[in-house]
Amino acid sequence: MTQGYPTRNFGQPTKRYCQTLDLKNDPELIRTYQIYHSESEMWPEILEGFHTIGILEMELYQLKERLFMIVETPLDFDWDTAMERLATLPRQAEWEAFVSRFQKCSPEDTSNEKWKMMTRIFHIYK
């Protein structure tokens, strides 16, 4: 972890959104949640939905039961419009209901209702 994670260059100006969500404090549920987010187990319809609405990159980081998500998009990306559209795409509601068993949220919540936007309080200013 101390070697860092490479980032992708999209050849265009981008912006990022940072969000957090808490998982249920159960080590077995957390391990299962990690498995379902692995490359081999992630539902392809969900990945396709992210691309369909214009998300360029999405990363999840975990510390115990706390998740941190970074979403990178083009500068003209409209979050609210994109999330409304995402909720209507194939298997999205099914996925949200499925993963809700691991998360501290309601099974009826959309992704946009579960994940809480974070406020940036610092960056290297120059």
Side-chain angles (χ1 to χ4, degrees), residues 11-99:
Q12 64 177 313
T14 61
K15 60 183 174 181
R16 68 177 45 138
Y17 298 89
C18 298
Q19 299 178 294
T20 191
L21 175 145
D22 287 333
L23 298 173
K24 294 176 180 172
N25 188 5
D26 179 322
E28 186 56 37
L29 283 178
I30 291 171
R31 279 191 292 280
T32 304
Y33 187 84
Q34 291 170 335
I35 290 167
Y36 279 105
H37 283 80
S38 69
E39 186 174 1
S40 63
E41 297 297 322
M42 187 70 193
W43 297 5
E45 299 90 347
I46 302 309
L47 295 173
E48 180 59 33
F50 297 148
H51 293 297
T52 297
I53 65 167
I55 291 175
L56 301 172
E57 179 67 275
M58 180 183 288
E59 298 174 284
L60 287 179
Y61 296 87
Q62 175 198 346
L63 178 63
K64 298 181 183 179
E65 67 271 6
R66 171 73 35 98
L67 297 178
F68 173 62
M69 179 166 49
I70 300 170
V71 179
E72 193 155 352
T73 68
L75 280 180
D76 64 351
F77 187 86
D78 181 284
W79 183 267
D80 292 330
T81 302
M83 291 302 112
E84 285 177 23
R85 184 170 179 217
L86 180 65
T88 69
L89 294 178
R91 298 197 74 193
Q92 186 66 36
E94 181 185 356
W95 172 258
E96 294 304 339
F98 174 74
V99 295

